[in-house]
Amino acid sequence: MNRRKKIYEGKAKIIFDGPDPGSLVQYFKDDATAFNSEKHSIIEGKGVLNNMISEHVMNGLSNVGIPNHFIKRINMREQLVQSCEIIPLEVVVRNFAAGSVANRLDLSEGDPFARPIMECYLKSDKLGDPLLTDEHIAVLELATAYEMEEIHYIAFRVNDFLSGLMYAVGITLIDFKIEIGRVYKSEFPTLVVADEISPDTCRLWDSNSGRKLDKDVFRHDLGSLIDAYSEVAKRLGVLPNANLKRSGKPKLVH
Ligand code: TMP
């Protein structure tokens, strides 16, 4: 029986109505997608690992005063979060070249940038998340100039925190994506980090060997995604005791 009203279903999560007004339940699925869903598999245990890792990261952000939507974990796959209006931007911070920026600008994977850079992409599956300039964001009224300043500040604070958290466990933070939501408590909305922060939304390389411990393992068929995500969870001290399938081929959906 369906206990709750489904509000939204994305590629990796389902959002349900929460128990109190202003709260939502975020359910982590086992679906893995890449290249705008061109590639899709069900990888047993991925949702559990992302739920635990994202909880750990969001709690860490709270501890250093970075506002975020996380309230508490409910069970192995679900967490209670604050309801917010998601700004339709994928906010990416990059410390080293990899992925789309390496392709776009013909850079070598792993080359450090002189300083971290922030980029914003339009959150649109239909358009394949195109890169936006500040001018696009302003004229399309996706966010105000004040919000963009705030988003920049939040994104770099998250980068500092997350780089340190990972560095301490022998992992280099190459880049990551966050989503930002507006919370309306007074006349002016405040901004919070929303969605998830997990190996699905970061590039994480072992600092010694360079081994990839993130969704690139799935994107580029580099081995077991569960082994990679479990390694991150283990190093962060949040590996669940669940009976995760640690090997074998993921079930291919299409
Ligand atoms: P990119 O190099 O493909 O643009 O990705 C930059 C970062 O953003 C990387 O850590 C992966 C993450 N990301 C998402 O979380 N969701 C997405 O849809 C995409 C394209 C990237």
Side-chain angles (χ1 to χ4, degrees):
M1 199 180 70
N2 220 340
R3 288 174 291 152
R4 294 177 287 240
K5 189 169 147 227
K6 192 197 278 188
I7 306 283
Y8 171 81
E9 178 155 4
K11 287 178 284 203
K13 292 186 294 299
I14 307 174
I15 306 295
F16 296 97
D17 241 345
D20 313 303
S23 74
L24 297 170
V25 173
Q26 188 164 259
Y27 175 97
F28 287 76
K29 304 194 284 185
D30 281 339
D31 297 61
T33 66
F35 313 117
N36 210 9
S37 296
E38 246 175 64
K39 189 168 174 176
H40 178 205
S41 297
I42 305 290
I43 300 180
E44 227 175 283
K46 184 185 81 106
V48 171
L49 287 162
N50 280 352
N51 187 22
M52 309 299 264
I53 294 170
S54 196
E55 171 194 18
H56 184 70
V57 173
M58 294 290 182
N59 276 333
L61 295 184
S62 297
N63 287 340
V64 297
I66 303 173
N68 65 83
H69 73 160
F70 183 81
I71 301 172
K72 68 168 187 181
R73 186 165 57 78
I74 300 169
N75 56 42
M76 298 291 270
R77 286 197 180 267
E78 295 177 324
Q79 46 182 246
L80 191 67
V81 299
Q82 195 175 11
S83 165
C84 60
E85 176 187 87
I86 295 286
I87 297 178
L89 297 177
E90 305 222 330
V91 179
V92 171
V93 176
R94 302 182 187 272
N95 298 305
F96 298 83
S100 68
V101 77
N103 294 333
R104 191 180 317 115
L105 302 178
D106 194 22
L107 305 172
S108 301
E109 271 232 319
D111 275 359
F113 287 112
R115 60 170 181 81
I117 54 169
M118 186 183 98
E119 298 169 342
C120 289
Y121 295 82
L122 181 65
K123 205 170 137 60
S124 164
D125 287 343
K126 193 177 95 190
L127 301 176
D129 299 346
L131 179 63
L132 298 170
T133 66
D134 283 346
E135 301 263 295
H136 296 137
I137 295 169
V139 295
L140 298 176
E141 295 185 355
L142 300 171
T144 65
Y146 173 77
E147 284 175 332
M148 285 312 293
E149 231 179 86
E150 190 75 9
I151 288 171
H152 198 269
Y153 177 72
I154 292 172
F156 280 86
R157 282 203 73 195
V158 172
N159 187 45
D160 284 346
F161 170 78
L162 199 55
S163 293
L165 182 79
M166 294 300 171
Y167 176 79
V169 296
I171 294 173
T172 303
L173 178 66
I174 303 298
D175 59 31
F176 67 89
K177 184 262 310 187
I178 51 173
E179 296 187 18
I180 303 287
R182 296 184 183 103
V183 175
Y184 292 90
K185 278 194 182 148
S186 65
E187 194 186 340
F188 299 105
T190 54
L191 299 184
V192 296
V193 177
D195 192 54
E196 71 180 292
I197 300 180
S198 72
D200 264 12
T201 63
C202 301
R203 282 198 176 87
L204 304 169
W205 295 2
D206 179 87
S207 302
N208 287 323
S209 66
R211 177 185 164 204
K212 292 181 177 171
L213 300 170
D214 57 64
K215 203 163 92 173
D216 272 350
V217 170
F218 170 73
R219 291 189 187 98
H220 305 297
D221 299 316
L222 301 177
S224 161
L225 190 80
I226 291 299
D227 283 352
Y229 285 27
S230 298
E231 182 63 28
V232 175
K234 192 171 80 187
R235 292 195 198 183
L236 293 174
V238 298
L239 187 66
N241 289 323
N243 209 357
L244 297 175
K245 204 168 151 189
R246 294 186 54 85
S247 56
K249 246 180 120 122
K251 192 168 99 202
L252 218 58
V253 173
H254 64 77

